[in-house]
Amino acid sequence: MRSDPDLHLLLVGPTEVADGLIAALDPEQRARVTVRPVRTAVGMADHPTAARAESTVRSAVNAVRDGIADALVSAGSTGATVTAAALGLGRWTGVRRPALVATLPAVAGPVVLVDVGGSLDAGTAALARHAVLGAAYAAVAHAVAAPRVGLLSVGTETGKGDRLRRAADPVLAATPLPCGARYVGLVEGYDVSVGTRADVVVTDGFTGNVLLKAIEGAYAMAGGPPASGGAPRAAALLGVAGTVVVCHGAARPDDVASGIALAAHLWRRDAAHTVSTLLDGVPHDPAPDTETTPR
Amino acid sequence: MRSDPDLHLLLVGPTEVADGLIAALDPEQRARVTVRPVRTAVGMADHPTAARAESTVRSAVNAVRDGIADALVSAGSTGATVTAAALGLGRWTGVRRPALVATLPAVAGPVVLVDVGGSLDAGTAALARHAVLGAAYAAVAHAVAAPRVGLLSVGTETGKGDRLRRAADPVLAATPLPCGARYVGLVEGYDVSVGTRADVVVTDGFTGNVLLKAIEGAYAMAGGPPASGGAPRAAALLGVAGTVVVCHGAARPDDVASGIALAAHLWRRDAAHTVSTLLDGVPHDPAPDTETTPR
């Protein structure tokens, strides 16, 4: 509220929690806060489908759907937020599972890591879609010109990797990418944190999620993040018709603030709509992943 | 050679490379070096099965098999080393794929990460085997009493994870572990680098490999590793009948030295044989992974 004078907040949750937050603001700031009282929340241990019922995350999604809010920020269960957003806002054409996109500050600029928890069981088609999404996001959200897109694996030589990566490498090489992006082949874990080989690193949501948290832990061990910034604590949800940001489940106040700032940045750039339009401009994969896709 | 007066080196490779190395030693040290000239090496881009033919790694494995060397250290292709060691030394009973085990220094002591590249396409049976291996290795190599074993996933609550992790969680909970080890459930990427929840973190070789390199990159970004030590640049190969250590493919001289020191440490503790014997004491999985195992 202090750093962004144009920001309006809609707080969705128990009134007493909102009251504590509002009490910390000065009168001018309070005028920019509205409360939507909702008592039921989806817990971290609940199944994501719990988000189908009336809950804070469902109510917040509805506020975006109804035009009452421009963007949604959640530090709750990632699965519940993805489910509620996909149900309430709808998915982009050709996107089966929305992706979570995180941006890491690296030596030569930002590295966009996709996915960090949206598609835990990705197949080759999902990885190809992540490549397209990541390229568009790097260009739109971070103004990266002609993004270099790499596929995360255990070595850079062709043929290195598990079955999924070996199958996906030629598929990504043949996938048309937007924004002048080009596929640079296999990259390694090192390239996510240091980032000299690629601007966009493509992986499945399981690997991306554990990777991001391991990097965060390494910075904690090293006595703090580098001056350029540490591991991001908020990620953009791409693939739903709206601006949605998911914060780390153990988010501290400044993490939530960085998530809100990211949501405002993306909304002001019209990023969700622009990325979606860029995706419509590249051919869709005719054979989406099924349970039998090699992975 | 300087830090370990009892160490003898058998250098396997081109004579001129060995000559350059020997020239840097003093006469006493030279007396502890033997050269086995071999010209053909398996390249990083070659298929691991190239290790079947006569090559540096095959010749080094044969030296261990024939009792000419006590341990093998390689900074070449991991796949070729694993293949050559499995063929030349034989595998332990019940182990289909040898595992690569790396030890990270963390807040409360070492964290053993298994696997970091041996089984890129692990199933539930391989993960259960990694849990047993990791527990025995933590006890034998690092003197960890009653190791806590965790399964790497995207959250700590039961049910979090991709299909493989959701299937493996109850399997690990039901797996008898040696050395008084106990299964503590799901852990996150943070627990690999910071390490307060588990002494042993179990994962597939793909995830472990990219994770290890991302942590290494994060320390490079943060200006250097913590005082307790950075990401390891050498890993023990467990599951073959002999002491084998694999160094990082981009190993620097001190990385190779740390790999040699690890090999000497493991050989002196009779770690490979002791861990293998501990494994024989726990029931074998009656249904090893097949291509159709959920992963």
Side-chain angles (χ1 to χ4, degrees):
Chain A
M1 295 303 290
R2 269 192 295 272
S3 64
D4 188 344
D6 294 329
L7 187 78
H8 291 252
L9 274 188
L10 174 67
L11 299 174
V12 182
T15 313
E16 61 273 22
V17 177
D19 286 347
L21 210 151
I22 291 166
L25 300 174
D26 66 33
E28 180 278 324
Q29 292 163 348
R30 280 178 207 168
R32 293 188 276 131
V33 178
T34 314
V35 178
R36 177 181 277 215
V38 180
R39 296 218 70 83
T40 313
V42 180
M44 297 303 268
D46 292 336
H47 195 272
T49 51
R52 293 172 192 272
E54 190 54 38
S55 59
T56 48
V57 69
R58 194 64 202 273
S59 180
V61 163
N62 290 346
V64 174
R65 182 198 62 199
D66 300 340
I68 294 165
D70 293 316
L72 163 64
V73 177
S74 170
S77 157
T78 299
T81 306
V82 174
T83 301
L87 282 172
L89 303 176
R91 289 174 296 184
W92 298 347
T93 314
V95 171
R96 288 160 58 92
R97 281 289 292 173
L100 275 170
V101 183
T103 304
L104 294 92
V107 166
V111 169
V112 169
L113 180 63
V114 50
D115 174 46
V116 298
S119 300
L120 296 178
D121 287 294
T124 50
L127 292 181
R129 181 56 57 181
H130 291 169
V132 176
L133 266 177
Y137 185 81
V140 172
H142 301 297
V144 176
R148 297 160 302 162
V149 178
L151 175 64
L152 185 63
S153 194
V154 298
T156 57
E157 301 87 359
T158 301
K160 294 272 179 183
D162 59 358
R163 279 195 291 269
L164 173 59
R165 275 20 92 148
R166 294 198 308 273
D169 184 30
V171 173
L172 264 66
T175 299
L177 299 174
C179 306
R182 66 193 166 88
Y183 178 61
V184 296
L186 304 181
V187 299
E188 298 180 89
Y190 201 82
D191 298 302
V192 175
S193 33
V194 178
T196 48
R197 277 209 194 96
D199 306 299
V200 176
V201 174
V202 172
T203 193
D204 61 281
F206 179 85
T207 306
N209 185 286
V210 297
L211 206 67
L212 200 59
K213 289 174 182 164
I215 292 172
E216 184 191 327
Y219 287 145
M221 284 291 288
S228 55
R233 308 266 294 181
L237 184 68
L238 295 185
V240 297
T243 301
V244 179
V245 166
V246 176
C247 295
H248 198 292
R252 297 174 301 250
D254 56 341
D255 298 325
V256 176
S258 81
I260 295 169
L262 174 61
H265 171 80
L266 294 176
W267 182 79
R268 283 163 181 157
R269 291 208 170 200
D270 197 17
H273 180 247
T274 309
V275 169
S276 163
T277 305
L278 285 165
L279 257 68
D280 289 340
V282 296
H284 287 149
D285 191 305
D289 293 321
T290 66
E291 294 293 306
T292 56
T293 300
R295 43 173 300 281
Chain B
M1 294 304 290
R2 269 192 295 272
S3 65
D4 188 345
D6 294 328
L7 188 78
H8 291 252
L9 274 188
L10 172 67
L11 299 173
V12 182
T15 313
E16 61 274 23
V17 177
D19 286 348
L21 211 150
I22 292 166
L25 300 173
D26 66 35
E28 181 278 325
Q29 291 164 347
R30 279 178 208 168
R32 292 189 278 130
V33 178
T34 315
V35 179
R36 178 182 277 215
V38 180
R39 296 220 68 84
T40 313
V42 180
M44 295 304 267
D46 292 337
H47 195 272
T49 51
R52 293 171 192 272
E54 192 52 39
S55 60
T56 48
V57 69
R58 194 66 202 272
S59 179
V61 162
N62 290 346
V64 174
R65 182 197 64 198
D66 301 340
I68 295 164
D70 293 317
L72 162 65
V73 177
S74 170
S77 158
T78 299
T81 306
V82 173
T83 301
L87 282 172
L89 304 177
R91 289 174 296 183
W92 299 346
T93 314
V95 171
R96 288 161 59 92
R97 282 289 292 175
L100 276 169
V101 183
T103 305
L104 294 93
V107 165
V111 169
V112 169
L113 180 63
V114 50
D115 176 46
V116 298
S119 300
L120 296 178
D121 287 294
T124 51
L127 292 182
R129 182 56 57 180
H130 291 170
V132 177
L133 266 177
Y137 185 80
V140 171
H142 301 298
V144 176
R148 297 161 301 161
V149 177
L151 174 64
L152 185 63
S153 194
V154 299
T156 57
E157 301 88 358
T158 300
K160 295 271 177 181
D162 58 359
R163 278 195 292 269
L164 172 60
R165 273 23 90 149
R166 293 198 307 275
D169 185 28
V171 173
L172 264 66
T175 299
L177 299 174
C179 306
R182 65 192 167 88
Y183 178 61
V184 297
L186 304 180
V187 299
E188 298 181 88
Y190 199 82
D191 298 303
V192 175
S193 34
V194 177
T196 49
R197 277 209 195 94
D199 306 299
V200 176
V201 174
V202 173
T203 192
D204 62 281
F206 179 86
T207 306
N209 185 286
V210 297
L211 206 65
L212 200 59
K213 289 173 182 164
I215 291 172
E216 184 190 326
Y219 287 145
M221 284 292 286
S228 55
R233 308 268 294 182
L237 183 67
L238 294 185
V240 297
T243 302
V244 178
V245 166
V246 175
C247 294
H248 197 292
R252 297 173 302 248
D254 56 342
D255 298 324
V256 176
S258 81
I260 294 170
L262 174 62
H265 171 79
L266 294 176
W267 182 78
R268 284 164 181 155
R269 291 209 170 200
D270 198 17
H273 180 246
T274 308
V275 169
S276 163
T277 304
L278 285 166
L279 259 67
D280 287 340
V282 295
H284 287 149
D285 191 306
D289 293 321
T290 66
E291 293 293 307
T292 54
T293 299
R295 41 174 301 282

